[in-house]
Amino acid sequence: QSCKTLAVILRHMTNRLLIIIFLFVSITSCKKDKETKKISVTGQVLNELNNRPVSGITISLNESCGSSSLDNGSGWSAISSTTTDNNGFYSFSIEVSDCSGWKIDVNASPNYSSQYSTSWFNVKPNEDVNKTTLLYRNATLIVTATTSNPLKPNDDFFMNLPGIGCRCYYETTTRAKGGFYNEITWTVKRNNVTNNFSDTVFCPVNVNRTYTINY
């Protein structure tokens, strides 16, 4: 009888031991997963015009921990930054918190006169990402609009420049692609008849390009 009792006790202890081991492994696994949530990104930045590496470009890793959608809008904060080397390469390998999204900003700068354009892309934890980004040199395009035939009350003029649109009749400055032909369009409405026009303007780097629309 004593042997049977001992067997029951041992079996009961074994079951309890298995449960303890299972719980320990589960907790350890969850803790490990949480601790090893990592963003791993390598990339290269090239000049879109000639595919040459661009050094000294600021790259930032941003996270959004709220309900912000995964776009380039508000709700993001930079958690790490670096710059491209002489060959245009950069990398991030950093553990992150339990947020809703992460993205890489390339040449992230609020400065309007930034030398190069900007770009961004989303990344996910525990995925190796390798990305090539093409940037172009910023150029300054100055567009003016003149007319020898003034608009009447029901007429209209609309000018569309690279990256922006403006309903205006005055000089407008915008950034354009340096070393490229940039398209500009404009629309003229007179006597309930609408006509659309377009032209391409070459914008050199580091030189202000002026173009005049005569409508």
Side-chain angles (χ1 to χ4, degrees):
Q1 181 68 29
S2 60
C3 291
K4 291 182 179 180
T5 302
L6 180 61
V8 171
I9 293 174
L10 289 174
R11 186 161 55 250
H12 180 68
M13 291 180 62
T14 301
N15 291 338
R16 289 186 63 186
L17 181 61
L18 289 174
I19 292 173
I20 292 172
I21 293 174
F22 174 77
L23 290 175
F24 176 79
V25 171
S26 299
I27 294 173
T28 303
S29 177
C30 291
K31 185 178 180 181
K32 182 178 180 181
D33 289 341
K34 186 176 181 180
E35 289 178 349
T36 58
K37 201 170 188 178
K38 178 181 288 187
I39 297 293
S40 299
V41 182
T42 57
Q44 186 181 28
V45 178
L46 302 177
N47 188 323
E48 183 180 354
L49 183 63
N50 52 28
N51 280 327
R52 292 180 179 175
V54 183
S55 62
I57 292 293
T58 301
I59 314 291
S60 65
L61 171 61
N62 300 264
E63 68 179 9
S64 175
C65 297
S67 59
S68 175
S69 59
L70 300 185
D71 57 20
N72 205 25
S74 61
W76 296 93
S77 58
I79 58 175
S80 184
S81 65
T82 186
T83 56
T84 55
D85 63 18
N86 290 335
N87 295 311
F89 288 107
Y90 67 90
S91 65
F92 288 100
S93 182
I94 181 173
E95 292 187 9
V96 293
S97 57
D98 191 17
C99 290
S100 58
W102 297 264
K103 69 184 177 76
I104 298 293
D105 277 335
V106 181
N107 200 36
S109 172
N111 187 358
Y112 181 85
S113 61
S114 179
Q115 188 178 18
Y116 281 87
S117 60
T118 61
S119 182
W120 66 275
F121 57 92
N122 291 325
V123 292
K124 295 181 179 180
N126 302 330
E127 291 185 4
D128 292 333
V129 177
N130 187 280
K131 178 84 171 180
T132 298
T133 302
L134 299 177
L135 298 183
Y136 58 83
R137 291 286 297 275
N138 286 319
T140 301
L141 174 62
I142 303 171
V143 180
T144 60
T146 64
T147 182
S148 57
N149 183 13
L151 296 177
K152 296 179 181 179
N154 292 327
D155 295 341
D156 197 11
F157 169 79
F158 178 73
M159 179 168 58
N160 188 22
L161 306 181
I164 64 172
C166 63
R167 195 173 296 275
C168 54
Y169 313 99
Y170 46 82
E171 182 177 280
T172 303
T173 301
T174 184
R175 284 190 295 180
K177 279 189 174 184
F180 289 84
Y181 281 92
N182 293 261
E183 184 181 28
I184 61 174
T185 63
W186 63 97
T187 299
V188 181
K189 177 184 176 183
R190 280 195 173 94
N191 300 320
N192 292 322
V193 177
T194 301
N195 291 295
N196 298 309
F197 304 90
S198 66
D199 197 3
T200 54
V201 183
F202 183 80
C203 297
V205 178
N206 297 328
V207 176
N208 292 351
R209 179 69 165 89
T210 302
Y211 183 89
T212 300
I213 295 173
N214 191 331
Y215 64 92

